[in-house]
Short mmCIF file of all heavy atoms in Angstrom, two decimals:
data_model
loop_
_atom_site.label_atom_id
_atom_site.label_comp_id
_atom_site.label_asym_id
_atom_site.label_seq_id
_atom_site.Cartn_x
_atom_site.Cartn_y
_atom_site.Cartn_z
N MET A 2 152.53 71.60 148.45
CA MET A 2 151.66 70.88 147.53
C MET A 2 150.36 71.69 147.33
O MET A 2 149.84 72.28 148.28
CB MET A 2 151.33 69.50 148.13
CG MET A 2 150.60 68.61 147.16
SD MET A 2 150.45 66.96 147.88
CE MET A 2 149.16 66.34 146.86
N ALA A 3 149.89 71.71 146.14
CA ALA A 3 148.71 72.50 145.83
C ALA A 3 147.44 71.65 145.94
O ALA A 3 147.48 70.46 145.75
CB ALA A 3 148.82 73.11 144.45
N ARG A 4 146.33 72.30 146.24
CA ARG A 4 145.03 71.61 146.23
C ARG A 4 144.01 72.54 145.66
O ARG A 4 144.19 73.75 145.57
CB ARG A 4 144.67 71.15 147.67
CG ARG A 4 144.45 72.26 148.64
CD ARG A 4 144.34 71.76 150.05
NE ARG A 4 144.31 72.88 150.97
CZ ARG A 4 143.24 73.48 151.39
NH1 ARG A 4 142.05 73.11 150.97
NH2 ARG A 4 143.34 74.51 152.24
N LEU A 5 142.89 71.93 145.27
CA LEU A 5 141.82 72.70 144.63
C LEU A 5 140.73 72.98 145.67
O LEU A 5 140.32 72.11 146.40
CB LEU A 5 141.24 71.89 143.49
CG LEU A 5 140.20 72.61 142.62
CD1 LEU A 5 140.87 73.66 141.75
CD2 LEU A 5 139.45 71.59 141.76
N VAL A 6 140.30 74.23 145.74
CA VAL A 6 139.20 74.61 146.64
C VAL A 6 138.06 75.15 145.80
O VAL A 6 138.26 75.94 144.88
CB VAL A 6 139.71 75.72 147.62
CG1 VAL A 6 138.56 76.20 148.50
CG2 VAL A 6 140.86 75.20 148.47
N ILE A 7 136.85 74.63 146.08
CA ILE A 7 135.65 75.08 145.36
C ILE A 7 134.90 76.09 146.22
O ILE A 7 134.62 75.83 147.39
CB ILE A 7 134.72 73.89 145.07
CG1 ILE A 7 135.49 72.77 144.35
CG2 ILE A 7 133.50 74.33 144.24
CD1 ILE A 7 136.06 73.14 143.01
N HIS A 8 134.55 77.23 145.62
CA HIS A 8 133.78 78.28 146.32
C HIS A 8 132.36 78.27 145.76
O HIS A 8 132.09 78.86 144.71
CB HIS A 8 134.44 79.65 146.11
CG HIS A 8 135.85 79.73 146.65
ND1 HIS A 8 136.10 79.81 148.01
CD2 HIS A 8 137.04 79.68 146.04
CE1 HIS A 8 137.43 79.85 148.19
NE2 HIS A 8 138.02 79.76 147.03
N ASN A 9 131.48 77.50 146.43
CA ASN A 9 130.14 77.32 145.90
C ASN A 9 129.35 78.62 145.79
O ASN A 9 128.44 78.71 144.95
CB ASN A 9 129.39 76.31 146.78
CG ASN A 9 129.66 74.88 146.34
OD1 ASN A 9 128.96 74.35 145.51
ND2 ASN A 9 130.72 74.25 146.87
N GLY A 10 129.68 79.61 146.61
CA GLY A 10 128.98 80.87 146.53
C GLY A 10 129.15 81.59 145.20
O GLY A 10 128.38 82.50 144.86
N LYS A 11 130.17 81.22 144.45
CA LYS A 11 130.45 81.87 143.15
C LYS A 11 129.83 81.08 141.99
O LYS A 11 129.97 81.48 140.84
CB LYS A 11 131.97 81.91 142.94
CG LYS A 11 132.72 82.54 144.07
CD LYS A 11 133.12 83.95 143.74
CE LYS A 11 133.91 84.53 144.87
NZ LYS A 11 134.43 85.84 144.59
N ILE A 12 129.15 79.96 142.31
CA ILE A 12 128.61 79.11 141.25
C ILE A 12 127.07 79.25 141.24
O ILE A 12 126.43 79.00 142.25
CB ILE A 12 128.99 77.63 141.50
CG1 ILE A 12 130.49 77.49 141.64
CG2 ILE A 12 128.46 76.76 140.36
CD1 ILE A 12 130.93 76.12 142.16
N THR A 13 126.54 79.62 140.08
CA THR A 13 125.08 79.72 139.97
C THR A 13 124.50 78.44 139.41
O THR A 13 123.42 78.02 139.80
CB THR A 13 124.70 80.92 139.08
OG1 THR A 13 125.41 80.86 137.87
CG2 THR A 13 124.96 82.23 139.80
N ASP A 14 125.19 77.78 138.47
CA ASP A 14 124.70 76.54 137.84
C ASP A 14 125.67 75.43 138.19
O ASP A 14 126.67 75.20 137.49
CB ASP A 14 124.58 76.74 136.32
CG ASP A 14 123.93 75.53 135.67
OD1 ASP A 14 123.87 74.44 136.29
OD2 ASP A 14 123.49 75.68 134.50
N ARG A 15 125.42 74.70 139.30
CA ARG A 15 126.36 73.68 139.74
C ARG A 15 126.41 72.48 138.76
O ARG A 15 127.46 71.88 138.59
CB ARG A 15 125.97 73.22 141.13
CG ARG A 15 126.14 74.33 142.14
CD ARG A 15 126.09 73.83 143.60
NE ARG A 15 126.41 74.94 144.45
CZ ARG A 15 125.49 75.70 145.06
NH1 ARG A 15 124.22 75.47 144.88
NH2 ARG A 15 125.85 76.72 145.82
N ASP A 16 125.28 72.14 138.16
CA ASP A 16 125.28 71.05 137.19
C ASP A 16 126.20 71.34 136.02
O ASP A 16 126.97 70.47 135.58
CB ASP A 16 123.87 70.76 136.70
CG ASP A 16 122.97 70.16 137.77
OD1 ASP A 16 123.49 69.31 138.55
OD2 ASP A 16 121.81 70.55 137.85
N ALA A 17 126.15 72.57 135.50
CA ALA A 17 127.02 72.94 134.40
C ALA A 17 128.47 73.00 134.84
O ALA A 17 129.39 72.56 134.12
CB ALA A 17 126.58 74.29 133.84
N PHE A 18 128.68 73.44 136.07
CA PHE A 18 130.05 73.57 136.58
C PHE A 18 130.72 72.20 136.68
O PHE A 18 131.87 72.05 136.24
CB PHE A 18 130.04 74.25 137.96
CG PHE A 18 131.40 74.34 138.58
CD1 PHE A 18 132.37 75.21 138.08
CD2 PHE A 18 131.72 73.55 139.70
CE1 PHE A 18 133.65 75.27 138.66
CE2 PHE A 18 132.99 73.63 140.28
CZ PHE A 18 133.94 74.47 139.77
N ILE A 19 130.06 71.20 137.24
CA ILE A 19 130.74 69.90 137.42
C ILE A 19 131.01 69.22 136.08
O ILE A 19 131.92 68.38 136.01
CB ILE A 19 129.99 68.96 138.40
CG1 ILE A 19 128.64 68.55 137.79
CG2 ILE A 19 129.82 69.60 139.77
CD1 ILE A 19 127.99 67.42 138.58
N LYS A 20 130.26 69.58 135.05
CA LYS A 20 130.49 68.96 133.75
C LYS A 20 131.77 69.48 133.06
O LYS A 20 132.21 68.90 132.08
CB LYS A 20 129.28 69.23 132.83
CG LYS A 20 128.09 68.36 133.21
CD LYS A 20 126.92 68.63 132.29
CE LYS A 20 125.69 67.88 132.81
NZ LYS A 20 124.45 68.51 132.46
N ILE A 21 132.32 70.54 133.59
CA ILE A 21 133.56 71.08 133.02
C ILE A 21 134.69 70.06 133.12
O ILE A 21 135.51 69.92 132.24
CB ILE A 21 133.98 72.39 133.71
CG1 ILE A 21 132.95 73.49 133.42
CG2 ILE A 21 135.37 72.83 133.31
CD1 ILE A 21 133.16 74.76 134.23
N CYS A 22 134.73 69.34 134.22
CA CYS A 22 135.87 68.44 134.49
C CYS A 22 135.81 67.18 133.63
O CYS A 22 134.88 66.42 133.71
CB CYS A 22 135.90 68.05 135.98
SG CYS A 22 137.30 66.96 136.33
N PRO A 23 136.86 66.95 132.80
CA PRO A 23 136.89 65.77 131.97
C PRO A 23 137.20 64.49 132.73
O PRO A 23 137.10 63.37 132.18
CB PRO A 23 138.02 66.07 130.95
CG PRO A 23 138.91 67.04 131.67
CD PRO A 23 138.03 67.80 132.63
N PHE A 24 137.57 64.58 133.99
CA PHE A 24 137.92 63.39 134.79
C PHE A 24 136.83 63.03 135.81
O PHE A 24 137.07 62.17 136.67
CB PHE A 24 139.25 63.65 135.53
CG PHE A 24 140.38 63.97 134.60
CD1 PHE A 24 140.83 65.27 134.48
CD2 PHE A 24 141.01 62.97 133.85
CE1 PHE A 24 141.87 65.57 133.61
CE2 PHE A 24 142.05 63.26 133.00
CZ PHE A 24 142.48 64.59 132.87
N ASN A 25 135.67 63.67 135.73
CA ASN A 25 134.59 63.45 136.68
C ASN A 25 135.07 63.63 138.13
O ASN A 25 134.64 62.93 139.04
CB ASN A 25 134.00 62.03 136.52
CG ASN A 25 133.29 61.88 135.18
OD1 ASN A 25 132.63 62.79 134.71
ND2 ASN A 25 133.47 60.72 134.59
N ALA A 26 135.95 64.60 138.29
CA ALA A 26 136.47 64.88 139.63
C ALA A 26 135.60 65.87 140.39
O ALA A 26 135.84 66.13 141.57
CB ALA A 26 137.91 65.40 139.54
N LEU A 27 134.63 66.48 139.71
CA LEU A 27 133.71 67.38 140.39
C LEU A 27 132.37 66.68 140.51
O LEU A 27 131.90 66.04 139.57
CB LEU A 27 133.55 68.67 139.55
CG LEU A 27 134.82 69.53 139.42
CD1 LEU A 27 134.58 70.65 138.43
CD2 LEU A 27 135.25 70.08 140.77
N GLU A 28 131.77 66.78 141.69
CA GLU A 28 130.48 66.13 141.92
C GLU A 28 129.67 66.97 142.89
O GLU A 28 130.23 67.86 143.58
CB GLU A 28 130.68 64.72 142.49
CG GLU A 28 131.51 64.68 143.74
CD GLU A 28 131.86 63.27 144.15
OE1 GLU A 28 131.25 62.33 143.65
OE2 GLU A 28 132.75 63.10 145.01
N ILE A 29 128.36 66.73 142.88
CA ILE A 29 127.49 67.48 143.83
C ILE A 29 127.12 66.55 144.95
O ILE A 29 126.62 65.43 144.74
CB ILE A 29 126.22 67.99 143.10
CG1 ILE A 29 126.63 68.99 142.03
CG2 ILE A 29 125.27 68.61 144.09
CD1 ILE A 29 125.50 69.51 141.20
N LYS A 30 127.41 66.96 146.16
CA LYS A 30 127.09 66.21 147.38
C LYS A 30 126.35 67.13 148.32
O LYS A 30 126.83 68.22 148.60
CB LYS A 30 128.37 65.71 148.06
CG LYS A 30 128.95 64.45 147.49
CD LYS A 30 130.06 63.93 148.41
CE LYS A 30 130.69 62.72 147.82
NZ LYS A 30 131.92 62.33 148.56
N SER A 31 125.21 66.69 148.77
CA SER A 31 124.36 67.48 149.66
C SER A 31 124.12 68.90 149.11
O SER A 31 124.16 69.88 149.84
CB SER A 31 125.01 67.57 151.07
OG SER A 31 125.19 66.29 151.60
N GLY A 32 123.99 68.98 147.78
CA GLY A 32 123.63 70.23 147.16
C GLY A 32 124.82 71.16 146.87
O GLY A 32 124.59 72.26 146.33
N VAL A 33 126.01 70.75 147.22
CA VAL A 33 127.18 71.64 146.91
C VAL A 33 128.19 70.88 146.05
O VAL A 33 128.29 69.66 146.13
CB VAL A 33 127.88 72.15 148.20
CG1 VAL A 33 126.94 73.03 149.00
CG2 VAL A 33 128.39 71.00 149.03
N ALA A 34 128.91 71.66 145.21
CA ALA A 34 129.91 71.09 144.35
C ALA A 34 131.18 70.83 145.18
O ALA A 34 131.62 71.67 145.94
CB ALA A 34 130.22 72.03 143.19
N GLU A 35 131.74 69.61 144.98
CA GLU A 35 132.98 69.23 145.68
C GLU A 35 133.94 68.62 144.68
O GLU A 35 133.53 68.12 143.64
CB GLU A 35 132.67 68.18 146.80
CG GLU A 35 131.86 68.73 147.92
CD GLU A 35 131.67 67.70 149.00
OE1 GLU A 35 132.11 66.55 148.85
OE2 GLU A 35 131.06 68.04 150.02
N VAL A 36 135.20 68.61 145.06
CA VAL A 36 136.21 67.93 144.26
C VAL A 36 136.54 66.61 144.92
O VAL A 36 136.58 66.51 146.15
CB VAL A 36 137.45 68.83 144.10
CG1 VAL A 36 138.11 69.16 145.40
CG2 VAL A 36 138.47 68.21 143.14
N ASN A 37 136.73 65.56 144.13
CA ASN A 37 137.05 64.27 144.69
C ASN A 37 138.49 63.86 144.32
O ASN A 37 139.23 64.63 143.73
CB ASN A 37 136.01 63.20 144.25
CG ASN A 37 136.02 62.95 142.74
OD1 ASN A 37 137.06 63.06 142.10
ND2 ASN A 37 134.87 62.68 142.22
N SER A 38 138.84 62.64 144.68
CA SER A 38 140.26 62.20 144.53
C SER A 38 140.65 61.99 143.08
O SER A 38 141.82 61.71 142.80
CB SER A 38 140.47 60.94 145.35
OG SER A 38 139.60 59.91 144.90
N SER A 39 139.72 62.07 142.14
CA SER A 39 140.06 61.89 140.71
C SER A 39 140.68 63.16 140.12
O SER A 39 141.12 63.14 138.95
CB SER A 39 138.84 61.54 139.91
OG SER A 39 138.27 60.34 140.36
N CYS A 40 140.74 64.24 140.87
CA CYS A 40 141.30 65.49 140.36
C CYS A 40 142.74 65.34 139.96
O CYS A 40 143.56 64.83 140.73
CB CYS A 40 141.16 66.58 141.43
SG CYS A 40 141.82 68.17 140.86
N LYS A 41 143.04 65.77 138.76
CA LYS A 41 144.43 65.69 138.22
C LYS A 41 145.07 67.08 138.21
O LYS A 41 146.12 67.26 137.57
CB LYS A 41 144.41 65.17 136.78
CG LYS A 41 143.64 63.86 136.63
CD LYS A 41 144.55 62.67 136.83
CE LYS A 41 143.89 61.38 136.43
NZ LYS A 41 143.09 60.80 137.50
N MET A 42 144.43 68.03 138.88
CA MET A 42 144.95 69.41 138.90
C MET A 42 145.13 69.96 137.49
O MET A 42 146.04 70.73 137.22
CB MET A 42 146.26 69.49 139.72
CG MET A 42 146.09 69.10 141.17
SD MET A 42 144.98 70.14 142.07
CE MET A 42 146.05 71.54 142.35
N TYR A 43 144.24 69.57 136.62
CA TYR A 43 144.32 69.97 135.23
C TYR A 43 143.94 71.44 135.06
O TYR A 43 144.27 72.06 134.07
CB TYR A 43 143.34 69.04 134.47
CG TYR A 43 143.38 69.13 132.99
CD1 TYR A 43 144.52 68.81 132.27
CD2 TYR A 43 142.22 69.49 132.30
CE1 TYR A 43 144.51 68.86 130.89
CE2 TYR A 43 142.21 69.56 130.92
CZ TYR A 43 143.38 69.24 130.22
OH TYR A 43 143.37 69.30 128.86
N ARG A 44 143.20 71.94 136.02
CA ARG A 44 142.84 73.37 136.13
C ARG A 44 141.84 73.86 135.08
O ARG A 44 141.68 75.07 134.93
CB ARG A 44 144.09 74.27 136.10
CG ARG A 44 145.03 73.91 137.23
CD ARG A 44 146.27 74.72 137.25
NE ARG A 44 147.21 74.16 138.23
CZ ARG A 44 148.00 74.89 138.99
NH1 ARG A 44 148.03 76.19 138.85
NH2 ARG A 44 148.79 74.32 139.86
N LEU A 45 141.21 72.97 134.38
CA LEU A 45 140.22 73.39 133.40
C LEU A 45 139.06 74.09 134.11
O LEU A 45 138.52 75.08 133.63
CB LEU A 45 139.69 72.19 132.65
CG LEU A 45 138.95 72.50 131.33
CD1 LEU A 45 139.87 73.23 130.35
CD2 LEU A 45 138.43 71.21 130.72
N CYS A 46 138.68 73.62 135.30
CA CYS A 46 137.58 74.22 136.03
C CYS A 46 137.93 75.61 136.48
O CYS A 46 137.07 76.49 136.63
CB CYS A 46 137.17 73.33 137.20
SG CYS A 46 138.48 73.03 138.38
N VAL A 47 139.23 75.86 136.75
CA VAL A 47 139.66 77.19 137.16
C VAL A 47 139.52 78.15 135.99
O VAL A 47 139.05 79.29 136.14
CB VAL A 47 141.13 77.16 137.65
CG1 VAL A 47 141.61 78.56 137.99
CG2 VAL A 47 141.25 76.22 138.85
N ARG A 48 139.89 77.66 134.79
CA ARG A 48 139.89 78.52 133.59
C ARG A 48 138.49 78.68 133.03
O ARG A 48 138.13 79.76 132.52
CB ARG A 48 140.84 77.95 132.53
CG ARG A 48 142.28 77.92 132.93
CD ARG A 48 143.22 77.76 131.73
NE ARG A 48 142.88 76.63 130.90
CZ ARG A 48 143.38 75.41 131.08
NH1 ARG A 48 144.23 75.18 132.05
NH2 ARG A 48 143.03 74.41 130.29
N LYS A 49 137.68 77.63 133.07
CA LYS A 49 136.37 77.66 132.35
C LYS A 49 135.19 77.93 133.28
O LYS A 49 134.12 78.26 132.81
CB LYS A 49 136.14 76.31 131.66
CG LYS A 49 137.20 75.99 130.61
CD LYS A 49 136.93 76.68 129.32
CE LYS A 49 137.89 76.23 128.24
NZ LYS A 49 137.73 76.94 126.98
N GLY A 50 135.38 77.76 134.58
CA GLY A 50 134.26 77.96 135.52
C GLY A 50 134.04 79.44 135.78
O GLY A 50 134.80 80.28 135.31
N PRO A 51 132.98 79.75 136.52
CA PRO A 51 132.72 81.15 136.89
C PRO A 51 133.95 81.69 137.64
O PRO A 51 134.65 80.95 138.35
CB PRO A 51 131.52 81.06 137.84
CG PRO A 51 130.88 79.73 137.57
CD PRO A 51 131.98 78.84 137.10
N GLU A 52 134.19 82.96 137.49
CA GLU A 52 135.36 83.58 138.10
C GLU A 52 135.37 83.34 139.61
O GLU A 52 134.39 83.60 140.29
CB GLU A 52 135.39 85.08 137.81
CG GLU A 52 136.68 85.71 138.24
CD GLU A 52 136.80 87.16 137.80
OE1 GLU A 52 135.97 87.60 136.97
OE2 GLU A 52 137.69 87.86 138.29
N GLY A 53 136.46 82.79 140.13
CA GLY A 53 136.62 82.57 141.57
C GLY A 53 135.96 81.31 142.09
O GLY A 53 136.08 81.00 143.25
N ALA A 54 135.29 80.53 141.21
CA ALA A 54 134.59 79.32 141.67
C ALA A 54 135.56 78.21 142.09
O ALA A 54 135.37 77.52 143.09
CB ALA A 54 133.66 78.79 140.60
N ALA A 55 136.60 78.05 141.33
CA ALA A 55 137.64 77.05 141.63
C ALA A 55 138.97 77.74 141.81
O ALA A 55 139.33 78.59 140.98
CB ALA A 55 137.72 75.99 140.56
N GLU A 56 139.67 77.41 142.87
CA GLU A 56 140.90 78.13 143.19
C GLU A 56 141.98 77.09 143.54
O GLU A 56 141.72 76.15 144.29
CB GLU A 56 140.65 79.07 144.38
CG GLU A 56 141.88 79.82 144.84
CD GLU A 56 141.60 80.62 146.11
OE1 GLU A 56 140.60 80.33 146.81
OE2 GLU A 56 142.42 81.51 146.42
N ILE A 57 143.16 77.31 143.02
CA ILE A 57 144.31 76.47 143.40
C ILE A 57 144.98 77.14 144.60
O ILE A 57 145.34 78.31 144.54
CB ILE A 57 145.32 76.36 142.24
CG1 ILE A 57 144.68 75.78 141.00
CG2 ILE A 57 146.53 75.54 142.69
CD1 ILE A 57 144.28 74.34 141.10
N VAL A 58 145.10 76.36 145.69
CA VAL A 58 145.72 76.91 146.90
C VAL A 58 146.97 76.12 147.21
O VAL A 58 146.95 74.89 147.20
CB VAL A 58 144.72 76.80 148.09
CG1 VAL A 58 145.37 77.23 149.38
CG2 VAL A 58 143.48 77.62 147.82
N GLU A 59 148.03 76.84 147.46
CA GLU A 59 149.30 76.20 147.82
C GLU A 59 149.27 75.93 149.31
O GLU A 59 149.00 76.82 150.11
CB GLU A 59 150.48 77.10 147.48
CG GLU A 59 150.67 77.35 145.99
CD GLU A 59 151.13 76.11 145.24
OE1 GLU A 59 151.78 75.23 145.87
OE2 GLU A 59 150.82 76.03 144.05
N ASP A 60 149.52 74.67 149.69
CA ASP A 60 149.63 74.36 151.10
C ASP A 60 151.08 74.61 151.54
O ASP A 60 152.01 74.11 150.94
CB ASP A 60 149.33 72.88 151.35
CG ASP A 60 147.84 72.64 151.43
OD1 ASP A 60 147.13 73.56 151.81
OD2 ASP A 60 147.43 71.53 151.10
N LEU A 61 151.21 75.39 152.58
CA LEU A 61 152.58 75.65 153.08
C LEU A 61 152.85 74.71 154.25
O LEU A 61 152.24 74.85 155.31
CB LEU A 61 152.70 77.12 153.51
CG LEU A 61 152.47 78.14 152.42
CD1 LEU A 61 152.52 79.56 152.97
CD2 LEU A 61 153.49 77.98 151.30
N ASN A 62 153.73 73.78 154.05
CA ASN A 62 154.01 72.78 155.09
C ASN A 62 155.27 73.13 155.86
O ASN A 62 155.84 72.30 156.51
CB ASN A 62 154.13 71.42 154.45
CG ASN A 62 152.82 70.93 153.92
OD1 ASN A 62 151.78 71.15 154.50
ND2 ASN A 62 152.85 70.31 152.74
N PHE A 63 155.70 74.37 155.77
CA PHE A 63 156.92 74.75 156.47
C PHE A 63 156.68 76.14 157.08
O PHE A 63 155.85 76.89 156.58
CB PHE A 63 158.12 74.79 155.53
CG PHE A 63 157.90 75.61 154.30
CD1 PHE A 63 158.16 76.96 154.32
CD2 PHE A 63 157.43 75.06 153.13
CE1 PHE A 63 157.93 77.75 153.20
CE2 PHE A 63 157.19 75.85 152.01
CZ PHE A 63 157.46 77.17 152.04
N PRO A 64 157.33 76.41 158.14
CA PRO A 64 157.11 77.72 158.78
C PRO A 64 157.65 78.85 157.89
O PRO A 64 158.65 78.70 157.20
CB PRO A 64 157.92 77.63 160.07
CG PRO A 64 158.84 76.53 159.91
CD PRO A 64 158.25 75.57 158.92
N LEU A 65 156.89 79.96 157.87
CA LEU A 65 157.32 81.08 157.06
C LEU A 65 158.50 81.81 157.71
O LEU A 65 159.28 82.44 157.04
CB LEU A 65 156.18 82.05 156.86
CG LEU A 65 155.06 81.55 155.95
CD1 LEU A 65 153.92 82.56 155.94
CD2 LEU A 65 155.57 81.37 154.51
N PHE A 66 158.59 81.73 159.04
CA PHE A 66 159.65 82.42 159.75
C PHE A 66 160.37 81.44 160.62
O PHE A 66 159.79 80.53 161.20
CB PHE A 66 159.07 83.56 160.61
CG PHE A 66 158.28 84.55 159.80
CD1 PHE A 66 156.90 84.51 159.81
CD2 PHE A 66 158.92 85.48 159.00
CE1 PHE A 66 156.17 85.40 159.08
CE2 PHE A 66 158.19 86.39 158.26
CZ PHE A 66 156.79 86.35 158.29
N TYR A 67 161.66 81.58 160.75
CA TYR A 67 162.44 80.67 161.55
C TYR A 67 162.92 81.38 162.82
O TYR A 67 163.04 82.55 162.83
CB TYR A 67 163.65 80.16 160.77
CG TYR A 67 163.22 79.31 159.59
CD1 TYR A 67 163.02 79.90 158.34
CD2 TYR A 67 163.00 77.94 159.74
CE1 TYR A 67 162.63 79.13 157.27
CE2 TYR A 67 162.62 77.18 158.68
CZ TYR A 67 162.41 77.77 157.44
OH TYR A 67 162.01 77.02 156.39
S1 SF4 B 27 141.47 70.85 138.33
FE1 SF4 B 27 141.07 69.68 136.49
S2 SF4 B 27 140.86 67.55 137.16
FE2 SF4 B 27 140.65 68.86 138.95
S3 SF4 B 27 138.46 69.21 139.17
FE3 SF4 B 27 139.29 70.88 137.97
S4 SF4 B 27 139.02 70.29 135.81
FE4 SF4 B 27 138.83 68.46 137.10
#
């Protein structure tokens, strides 16, 4: 299953960044941008945000080697 990871170090304007999401799934908490449970994995923030700011990461729930 994939999840979204936010890399705050790549974001210069956090207010502008969180406005990219049409589902209000991006918010600022304690000064950093975070993704909340409203995320639909629409990936607009990945495409429209600063390069590397939002990343889709695949969770591997099975061993790579048997
Ligand atoms: S992946 Fe889509 S729904 Fe999730 S935070 Fe980014 S823009 Fe919003």
Side-chain angles (χ1 to χ4, degrees):
M2 189 174 162
R4 64 190 171 91
L5 187 72
V6 176
I7 307 298
H8 299 285
N9 274 270
K11 307 257 183 175
I12 305 169
T13 50
D14 186 343
R15 294 192 174 97
D16 290 320
F18 177 70
I19 66 169
K20 285 180 187 152
I21 293 172
C22 180
F24 302 104
N25 294 322
L27 295 171
E28 56 189 345
I29 296 177
K30 278 189 183 170
S31 302
V33 296
E35 293 184 356
V36 61
N37 64 34
S38 59
S39 298
C40 179
K41 308 271 191 274
M42 298 299 282
Y43 189 61
R44 301 179 189 216
L45 196 62
C46 58
V47 176
R48 295 198 307 270
K49 300 279 187 184
E52 188 173 349
E56 178 186 18
I57 302 290
V58 175
E59 295 290 333
D60 278 332
L61 299 177
N62 292 320
F63 52 87
L65 289 175
F66 303 102
Y67 294 92

